[in-house]
Amino acid sequence: MQPVPRPAQAVVLHYRSRAVAPLRPLDAEDAELLRIISDPCTPVFLTVHAGGRRRYSYWQPFDAHTGRGSCYVALPTEACDILRSTGRITLGEPLVEPSRTIYRIRLADTLTAPQRPVRATAHAA
């Protein structure tokens, strides 16, 4: 089974109309990325270097059982860009340094149904 080709550059969508086609289903790689990003014990960051290079990564703590960890782990940039462009993940406030800008990555807040304001009305007796 060949992997699904992805676009060379993702387009950021800030607003999704109801008329837009639904999001494509998640594949195994996307689901694993969202699992990592949703873990509160694993903060994920996007580092944008001065030259424009982007890197999504997180710190993997040391695991005594496997003897692995205690290092930064890079996530696939193209897959993360697609999750961001489709509105599944969002960027936090930027931390700007002279040679790079760092953003915290979080899952996007989604509403399950449109919310309507509740009116407080008094009924006459």
Side-chain angles (χ1 to χ4, degrees):
M1 181 178 208
Q2 293 182 347
V4 177
R6 296 181 187 242
Q9 273 194 338
V11 177
V12 177
L13 301 175
H14 294 284
Y15 174 76
R16 284 185 48 84
S17 169
R18 291 179 204 222
V20 174
L23 295 175
R24 68 177 176 79
L26 292 176
D27 59 12
E29 180 184 38
D30 294 339
E32 179 64 15
L33 290 173
L34 290 176
R35 184 194 65 77
I36 292 169
I37 294 168
S38 67
D39 183 2
C41 297
T42 308
V44 177
F45 297 94
L46 166 62
T47 303
V48 181
H49 295 275
R53 183 174 64 96
R54 297 178 324 281
R55 176 66 64 196
Y56 293 84
S57 61
Y58 68 96
W59 178 258
Q60 184 178 42
F62 181 73
D63 183 3
H65 297 293
T66 62
R68 298 176 64 180
S70 194
C71 60
Y72 282 100
V73 176
L75 299 172
T77 302
E78 191 173 308
C80 290
D81 282 343
I82 290 173
L83 290 175
R84 184 172 152 229
S85 70
T86 56
R88 294 181 190 266
I89 60 175
T90 60
L91 301 179
E93 293 296 319
L95 172 64
V96 180
E97 297 178 356
S99 63
R100 64 186 178 176
T101 303
I102 302 170
Y103 301 90
R104 172 79 186 264
I105 302 297
R106 291 188 169 80
L107 291 180
D109 294 331
T110 57
L111 296 175
T112 56
Q115 301 292 317
R116 293 184 180 207
V118 178
R119 293 186 195 178
T121 58
H123 290 77

